[in-house]
Amino acid sequence: DQQVKQNSPSLSVQEGRISILNCDYTNSMFDYFLWYKKYPAEGPTFLISISSIKDKNEDGRFTVFLNKSAKHLSLHIVPSQPGDSAVYFCAASAEGGTSYGKLTFGQGTILTVHP
Amino acid sequence: ETGVTQTPRHLVMGMTNKKSLKCEQHLGHNAMYWYKQSAKKPLELMFVYNFKEQTENNSVPSRFSPECPNSSHLFLHLHTLQPEDSALYLCASSLHSAGTGNQPQHFGDGTRLSIL
């Protein structure tokens, strides 16, 4: 039972345009969400996070939106740059219950930004 | 440079071999983690250590044996592995394991393990 799902395996975007990566979750106990970026032959790198008490968090070109009622979050990258091409993982954790202190990851979405 | 170093980067071993993966973090963190990433699957948490104590074993087979001698070092001892254990093994650390709040996990670059 996959509790965090990224239903788009890949996304292709033109440089300068917006990239929107989506993530859905099923566990209502999740209250903290993170996005990681992974280049080939490297480990995941933390990008941005959001607590369930917020519905938006922004950091430069990266914005994460959280819709708790829909159990959906998205990462917006604008403007997209070729260096953003990587695999993006959504992850979630809960402060209590069996998921305490654990990160649950989605399968990842491969983003390709074309010059 | 993430501050989390894993060695070796690549490992090929037979099913009867015994080997160990090593992870070292220079971030002053107190929690360390082992994850497994198989092809086309999400990262799966294997073990969590907080202040050298194991706080999570995510139903991992006993052929994987973790060791955390101090907060900066984490090992994964491997013995009699199966071909399906071939995967990328990632180590991570965070300030504490509880309350991830503003404490994202920092990952190493992983060990690519191949079981013959």
Side-chain angles (χ1 to χ4, degrees):
Chain A
D1 174 35
Q2 207 168 324
Q3 299 184 61
V4 178
K5 295 181 183 178
Q6 294 174 255
N7 291 317
S8 298
S10 62
L11 175 67
S12 183
V13 171
Q14 201 71 29
E15 181 178 8
R17 303 275 187 148
I18 185 171
S19 296
I20 301 177
L21 299 121
N22 293 303
C23 179
D24 297 294
Y25 62 95
T26 58
N27 188 342
S28 57
M29 295 295 292
F30 288 147
D31 55 10
Y32 185 64
F33 304 89
L34 308 90
W35 284 95
Y36 282 83
K37 173 181 176 180
K38 185 179 183 303
Y39 292 118
E42 293 183 13
T45 303
F46 171 69
L47 200 55
I48 192 170
S49 63
I50 188 167
S51 164
S52 61
I53 62 173
K54 295 184 175 181
D55 54 18
K56 177 182 175 181
N57 188 27
E58 195 171 350
D59 183 2
R61 297 185 296 114
F62 302 91
T63 303
V64 56
F65 295 92
L66 175 63
N67 182 335
K68 288 188 293 292
S69 60
K71 293 192 177 67
H72 177 84
L73 64 155
S74 60
L75 174 68
H76 292 213
I77 307 172
V78 55
S80 301
Q81 299 173 354
D84 296 329
S85 298
V87 181
Y88 288 79
F89 293 98
C90 169
S93 72
E95 291 296 303
T98 58
S99 297
Y100 188 63
K102 293 166 57 174
L103 280 182
T104 301
F105 283 84
Q107 316 93 300
T109 296
I110 301 170
L111 174 65
T112 305
V113 180
H114 298 283
Chain B
E1 179 61 48
T2 65
V4 180
T5 304
Q6 288 187 244
T7 53
R9 292 296 309 274
H10 301 273
L11 179 62
V12 179
M13 57 187 284
M15 288 191 284
T16 57
N17 292 157
K18 290 185 180 181
K19 295 284 184 184
S20 296
L21 310 185
K22 180 182 176 183
C23 177
E24 185 174 358
Q25 58 95 2
H26 308 278
L27 301 168
H29 289 167
N30 297 303
M32 296 188 78
Y33 312 77
W34 279 117
Y35 286 88
K36 175 184 179 182
Q37 186 177 27
S38 304
K40 299 184 180 178
K41 285 187 177 181
L43 274 77
E44 299 172 60
L45 180 67
M46 299 174 73
F47 301 103
V48 180
Y49 277 81
N50 199 30
F51 291 96
K52 301 189 298 176
E53 298 298 320
Q54 188 180 125
T55 58
E56 184 77 31
N57 177 336
N58 204 22
S59 303
V60 181
S62 59
R63 57 187 184 269
F64 295 92
S65 175
E67 179 190 1
C68 188
N70 54 62
S71 293
S72 299
H73 294 85
L74 184 65
F75 295 90
L76 188 62
H77 303 300
L78 316 171
H79 63 97
T80 58
L81 295 193
Q82 305 299 311
E84 62 265 27
D85 297 323
S86 297
L88 178 68
Y89 289 85
L90 287 159
C91 172
S93 71
S94 66
L95 189 57
H96 300 290
S97 67
T100 45
N102 292 320
Q103 309 165 28
Q105 292 176 22
H106 296 254
F107 285 82
D109 289 335
T111 295
R112 176 70 61 185
L113 177 65
S114 298
I115 306 300
L116 302 179

